[in-house]
């Protein structure tokens, strides 16, 4: 009977060790879950950025208006039939 109790105690100790300190322990599991949450957040940010870029590409493919708007905003270009007024505020 003592032998059986000793084996059960050893098994309990073994499983407790694996649960708290061994491979796949609770600490490791929490760390992996946190890492997974961070990666999901990063992937969501990248997905939103990609959606914005795809929308911009679709707009550029769709028509001249988006191209003209970008040329005006980013490059300061104007068309030949337009007049440019610069307002300087003090």
């Amino acid at each position: 009977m003592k032998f059986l109790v000793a084996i059960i105690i050893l098994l309990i100790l073994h499983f407790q060790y694996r649960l708290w300190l061994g491979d796949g322990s609770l600490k490791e599991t929490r760390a992996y879950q946190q890492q997974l949450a961070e990666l999901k957040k990063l992937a969501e940010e990248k997905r939103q950025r990609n959606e914005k870029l795809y929308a911009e590409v679709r707009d550029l493919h769709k028509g001249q208006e988006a191209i003209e708007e970008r040329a005006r905003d980013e490059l300061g270009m104007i068309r030949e039939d337009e007049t440019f007024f610069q307002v300087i505020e003090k």
Side-chain angles (χ1 to χ4, degrees):
M1 187 70 168
K2 290 180 183 180
F3 181 69
L4 184 58
V5 171
I7 290 177
I8 291 174
I9 290 173
L10 287 175
L11 284 174
I12 290 172
L13 290 174
H14 173 70
F15 290 131
Q16 285 294 316
Y17 172 79
R18 289 193 63 201
L19 177 66
W20 297 106
L21 304 172
D23 189 34
S25 66
L26 292 177
K27 184 178 179 180
E28 272 188 7
T29 303
R30 285 188 194 117
Y32 288 144
Q33 288 173 344
Q34 183 179 8
Q35 186 179 9
L36 179 62
E38 291 171 3
L39 288 173
K40 283 183 178 180
K41 180 182 175 186
L42 182 63
E44 179 63 24
E45 290 172 359
K46 298 285 185 182
R47 187 190 62 76
Q48 289 176 355
R49 180 177 169 265
N50 284 344
E51 284 181 6
K52 288 178 185 177
L53 290 173
Y54 286 135
E56 190 173 332
V57 168
R58 281 192 302 272
D59 286 345
L60 291 173
H61 281 291
K62 192 185 293 184
Q64 284 296 109
E65 291 178 17
I67 295 171
E68 286 181 10
E69 181 181 341
R70 277 194 98 157
R72 283 190 180 97
D73 290 342
E74 295 177 10
L75 303 175
M77 298 179 86
I78 58 172
R79 289 190 301 192
E80 290 182 14
D81 59 343
E82 291 180 330
T83 304
F84 176 73
F85 294 98
Q86 183 176 7
V87 178
I88 301 174
E89 296 182 19
K90 289 186 179 186

